[in-house]
Amino acid sequence: MSLLGDHMGLDLGGLICCIYDAALDASRWQEFLARFVVEFSSQSAAIFGHDFSERSAELAGESVSLAAHHGISGSAMHSFAAHYCGVNVWTQDEHLHHEGAVVNGSSLYPDRYLSRTEWYGDWLKPQDLFYSFAIVVEKKTQRTLNLTAMRSKRCGPYRQEDEARLRLLVPHLQTAFALHRRLHRAEALASASLAVLEGLPIGVVLLDEHASVLHANARAHQLAQATGLLRFGAGDQLRAASAGDELRLARAMRMAVTTGAGNPISAGDAIRMHGLDGSLLHVLVTPLPQWSSPFGQHAAGAVFISDPTSTAQSLAQTFCSFYRLTGAEARLAQAVVNGLTLQEYASRQEVSIHTVRSQFKSAAAKMGVTRQADFVRTVLTGPAMLRWVERQQG
């Protein structure tokens, strides 16, 4: 690196440290922006998302988890998101905003024409702003996540030296934004999803890559204890009472977690367990893909446990509204989640198995699956169940 480059890097060292502090503690993005505007002789700065397809701004609490601003009032940011992002002349040409780029407002739109625009007259001028430059930190399809700085006309335009210094921040911001997103998602799942797990109407057991129990909700323990058909043994193992069920359960769990770890071996197994006293459990063992953590745990597989004789009756309405199922399809989906086979449901409803299979095929297609095991997993780990639990707990 040149002496100029070394000097620029040393100047930005404290700011780079601040970037990583903010990645680990989201409340510190404001502190970073405050230092950022001083470092680059600016009056204001903002982190926000932009959608080129809709010419809209995306702020925190909406579809992005990271957004902050400094030197801009909350009302100004609100008006920007509500209207003025749509007339922002600096974002007219999407092709100039590629991931990792440093863009200068003076290059994006001629300064001599800026004062004639609604963007300047109604939004920039009241805040005494004229010049800008920005990093396009991320871009996915037509959406970008940006760090933008602005300053007044009397401060003069941003120079090539400013842009060169700003480019040094690009890889650090990209790493920090990605880290922030992972931590934000993990915190949200950890705080909310296990609570959701406890509110589900059926038992759920999460398995690690060794088929050991990571977590079992209260309903799983209740069903195991009430029927005696399952037990939680030493070494965090889920066991079946009968030898035949134990062999099948152990194999199903082993195959499921191997698949969940990335080896395409098994798509899951459904086991119907019967007790001598007439007790009954439906046990569905299914892999959880390695990229999916629906309950905030690093789970490779899951065991869903239900009592077909004791059903949750309020799921159908949620399925109708969320997945746009018909009434008949939603009632069937509720029965399947509760552990009934298609044949059992057909018998209870006194309709033909052909009709039920047709209803299931239509419902499964709306969820993007074909197999019954995938159908149950999609329902139980998806947002519709979150909505149902929230309503039950509310």
Side-chain angles (χ1 to χ4, degrees), residues 126-142:
Q127 300 179 82
D128 190 26
L129 300 174
F130 190 88
Y131 297 108
S132 76
F133 74 160
I135 298 174
V136 183
V137 182
E138 297 177 352
K139 185 175 184 181
K140 306 296 182 186
T141 59
Q142 292 182 283

Side-chain angles (χ1 to χ4, degrees), residues 146-203:
N146 317 284
L147 168 61
T148 299
M150 291 175 286
R151 63 190 185 196
S152 69
K153 191 171 186 178
R154 62 179 175 275
C155 293
Y158 291 101
R159 302 168 299 171
Q160 289 185 350
E161 298 95 299
D162 297 319
E163 293 181 31
R165 296 177 68 238
L166 190 60
R167 286 191 183 93
L168 295 176
L169 299 183
V170 172
H172 301 289
L173 284 166
Q174 288 176 327
T175 299
F177 280 20
L179 177 59
H180 167 94
R181 184 179 296 105
R182 292 189 190 100
L183 293 175
H184 176 83
R185 183 173 184 270
E187 289 170 1
L189 287 169
S191 62
S193 296
L194 287 179
V196 171
L197 192 67
E198 291 303 322
L200 292 177
I202 70 171

